[in-house]
Amino acid sequence: MISFQQVPYLRPDIEALEREMGEKITALENAESFEQAYFALIDLEAPRRRYMTLATLCEARNTMDTNDAFWAEEAAYFDRIKPRWDALCARLGDAMVNSPYRKELEAHLGEEVFRRAKVNSRAFSPDIASDLEEENRLSARYSSLTANLTAELDGKRYTFGELSKMQDESDRASREKFDTLRQQAFSEAAEELDDLYDKLVHVRANMAAKLGFPHFTEMGYCRQGRTSYQRDQVAVFRKEIETAITPVVSALYDQQRERLQYDELWNFDEDISFAGAAPKVREGAIEELFDDIFGSMSPESRVYYQELRRYQFYDLGTRKGKIRGAYSNYVPLYHLPFIFETFDGSPGAVKTFAHECGHGLHSFLKRGEPLIDSGDASSDLCEIHSMAMEFFIWPWLDRLYSEEDIGKYRFFHMKSALSFLPYGAAVDEFQTRVYDEPDLTPAQRLELWKDLERRYMPWRKYKHDGFLAQGRAWQRQTHIYKWPFYYIDYVLAQTCALQFHFMDEENHEKAWDSYMKLLRESGRYSFDETLARAGLESPFTPGVVSRVGQKAMDFLKKKG
């Protein structure tokens, strides 16, 4: 097989695709037996996999360099045609849901595929095609804007990746200096960030109204394919985090302040748990350092990572024009995921690479499914795949760090896992409030975020009256602009990933078998059903968040 760099690209002809898929969907709708329905679905695989491969390739090339004119135009083309693709997917979903052979098809795909198709179709209509195109355009502008943010230092402008490499994490003055530089870079874009989000909120509210939803919040849940819980359960989950986890994390940061002998713990101090240098990854390319980790973890992970490396389906470099962030997207025609990250050598970047490889392992394990829907799953489950992998690499951290730094990394990881829960809950409540009240002004949204920070993250303090102190921290979160209501999935997943970690500490074989079951069965069953089959407790069960949080805190007390 060829490497990722050699994968050819051809702009898809949407008219031809509509004709081809339209005929095949009609065959599914008119099927007179289960066998005819099944092979009608099989016939749809080729055009679907072709389109998805080209869309993934275009996204990868565009995010690798948002300043490349060719790929920017191709990305804009996909943004324009995506509503027509969504219309095809909605029609296909309706045909599957309404098929008289649904029960027989469910034996091959699982009931959840049909439940997800039903809720996804509620969030689409040809009536909102122009709104979807505008939403895509605004989302793309956010990616381009943030990818090209630079800060001036000594008369020269640097990308955020370059700034990270220049910063001395162990020196408080250096942390403050570079934090100020990043905030200044965002401040230069603050007015456009306000305008972009205001337009996104209103275009989404308009779509929801056209489709008969009371708010975009409900439409956003349908987009996420949520079939076993709704906003009321999420609100209760957030409240448990606020009451049970926020006080614990507040105490954790107060202990950190005392340990560091600071009068105040500022936002740029939060990641520094101990005095001295931060964990420093060993010399060598990060993808090479992970060879032995995935080679030792399991037969499945070894084969997966060898294939990923052999064909170089990843891009981890830092450069101007490359978007901030990370993702793993499956490339159907090549049966491999593409791993993307702006790797800067920090502990967070190491954790992120393991995270994306967890996503990739799931898609790799499902690559042999005859129907692509069988390899898909809702994002709440997918984020467990990735966040659990962050912890599963712990036994092999000596491949990445010195003995002294292993302890620092583990403390950093567990602390970030625990402290993330209140932040993630705040993001979700922010979005719920914003879309329930779409006419809030940009200034009112900033005040809303400041109030949420005081409730969920009372430890957070800003030394300077800059970008973050103005209530703008949420504007750095890509998901808020591009994928509304996705973020709570990380919070749910973190609760489950921590369960996997504590299970792994007691019995590795049991934990890994449970993880493999989760990977293989995700998508066939609902969120709650999948967790039960894997032997995990649902985050919505009262007391689960508190128990997991206490175990995490117990670990940190021992290591602190």
Side-chain angles (χ1 to χ4, degrees), residues 315-418:
D315 176 51
L316 308 176
T318 60
R319 53 186 173 274
K320 185 177 181 180
K322 183 176 178 180
I323 70 162
R324 298 168 55 249
Y327 59 79
S328 170
N329 284 344
Y330 185 56
V331 189
L333 290 182
Y334 294 86
H335 308 289
L336 277 173
F338 173 75
I339 307 291
F340 177 98
E341 185 185 359
T342 45
F343 187 84
D344 61 13
S346 67
V350 169
K351 182 169 71 75
T352 296
F353 184 63
H355 178 107
E356 301 306 337
C357 286
H359 281 307
L361 178 59
H362 168 249
S363 57
F364 186 77
L365 286 176
K366 304 286 277 187
R367 70 196 185 284
E369 296 280 355
L371 298 168
I372 200 164
D373 298 287
S374 303
D376 197 10
S378 53
S379 52
D380 42 21
L381 287 169
C382 288
E383 293 307 334
I384 304 175
H385 309 157
S386 54
M387 298 182 100
M389 181 59 79
E390 296 174 16
F391 284 104
F392 274 118
I393 71 168
W394 274 32
W396 296 277
L397 286 173
D398 60 325
R399 276 67 160 180
L400 302 175
Y401 292 107
S402 67
E403 188 62 34
E404 178 186 359
D405 281 348
I406 288 173
K408 290 182 179 179
Y409 177 86
R410 285 177 173 163
F411 191 94
F412 150 79
H413 185 181
M414 186 62 76
K415 189 186 78 173
S416 66
L418 187 60

Side-chain angles (χ1 to χ4, degrees), residues 280-305:
K280 185 177 181 181
V281 71
R282 295 186 185 278
E283 292 294 326
I286 189 64
E287 62 270 27
E288 295 175 2
L289 295 177
F290 266 84
D291 281 339
D292 194 33
I293 294 177
F294 286 114
S296 304
M297 190 177 289
S298 76
E300 297 94 341
S301 65
R302 180 175 63 252
V303 173
Y304 152 63
Y305 198 68

Side-chain angles (χ1 to χ4, degrees), residues 237-256:
F237 175 64
R238 290 197 309 259
K239 191 65 179 177
E240 185 170 358
I241 289 173
E242 183 182 357
T243 56
I245 303 299
T246 290
V248 170
V249 178
S250 292
L252 182 65
Y253 278 115
D254 196 49
Q255 293 165 14
Q256 179 176 326

Side-chain angles (χ1 to χ4, degrees), residues 19-276:
R19 289 192 298 271
E20 181 181 7
M21 285 189 62
E23 291 174 2
K24 297 178 187 300
I25 294 172
T26 298
L28 172 61
E29 292 168 334
N30 296 334
E32 296 180 352
S33 68
F34 158 68
E35 289 78 11
Q36 287 184 3
Y38 178 83
F39 283 102
L41 279 175
I42 291 291
D43 286 345
L44 280 156
E45 287 295 296
R48 294 176 75 194
R49 289 173 185 264
R50 183 171 68 247
Y51 176 88
M52 293 166 71
T53 293
L54 294 171
T56 299
L57 178 62
C58 178
E59 180 182 12
R61 296 295 191 190
N62 178 237
T63 53
M64 288 161 73
D65 183 2
T66 60
N67 297 319
D68 186 302
F70 174 81
W71 291 111
E73 175 53 36
E74 292 307 292
Y77 171 75
F78 273 98
D79 287 343
R80 291 194 299 272
I81 69 169
K82 191 172 185 302
R84 296 167 71 175
W85 173 256
D86 290 342
L88 288 169
C89 294
R91 184 184 165 195
L92 173 57
D94 288 340
M96 292 170 61
V97 168
N98 297 318
S99 172
Y101 310 104
R102 173 172 169 173
K103 281 297 177 187
E104 293 95 325
L105 292 170
E106 285 177 352
H108 293 262
L109 291 162
E111 294 180 26
E112 182 65 6
V113 168
F114 293 83
R115 290 192 290 252
R116 261 198 339 267
K118 187 173 182 178
V119 297
N120 285 336
S121 69
R122 286 192 60 211
F124 178 81
S125 165
D127 294 340
I128 64 170
S130 60
D131 299 295
L132 288 169
E133 189 173 331
E134 176 66 1
E135 181 188 23
N136 291 335
R137 186 190 69 79
L138 293 168
S139 295
R141 176 54 193 156
Y142 176 82
S143 294
S144 177
L145 176 65
T146 54
N148 287 286
L149 289 178
T150 58
E152 185 173 335
L153 178 63
D154 299 330
K156 183 179 177 182
R157 299 199 75 87
Y158 295 92
T159 66
F160 282 14
E162 291 169 331
L163 291 175
S164 294
K165 292 178 180 178
M166 298 165 66
Q167 177 179 328
D168 180 359
E169 283 285 334
S170 64
D171 182 73
R172 198 181 194 196
S174 177
R175 295 198 301 271
E176 180 178 356
K177 173 183 176 180
F178 283 90
D179 177 68
T180 300
L181 287 172
R182 294 185 191 93
Q183 289 198 52
Q184 288 173 351
F186 269 101
S187 291
E188 292 172 9
E191 187 174 340
E192 185 172 0
L193 289 169
D194 283 341
D195 183 60
L196 274 175
Y197 193 61
D198 194 61
K199 288 176 178 175
L200 281 165
V201 168
H202 283 97
V203 76
R204 287 166 179 157
N206 186 49
M207 286 191 288
K210 286 182 180 180
L211 295 181
F213 289 98
H215 312 96
F216 177 75
T217 303
E218 288 78 10
M219 180 178 170
Y221 273 53
C222 287
R223 278 179 161 189
Q224 289 301 109
R226 292 179 182 152
T227 63
S228 58
Y229 59 90
Q230 292 300 320
R231 59 184 293 171
D232 290 347
Q233 288 165 281
V234 172
V236 172
F237 175 64
R238 290 197 309 259
K239 191 65 179 177
E240 185 170 358
I241 289 173
E242 183 182 357
T243 56
I245 303 299
T246 290
V248 170
V249 178
S250 292
L252 182 65
Y253 278 115
D254 196 49
Q255 293 165 14
Q256 179 176 326
R257 179 190 60 77
E258 293 177 354
R259 188 165 58 245
L260 294 171
Q261 299 181 5
Y262 293 161
D263 292 330
E264 292 282 4
L265 192 77
W266 303 112
N267 69 290
F268 50 79
D269 296 320
E270 288 182 16
D271 288 341
I272 309 302
S273 300
F274 302 96

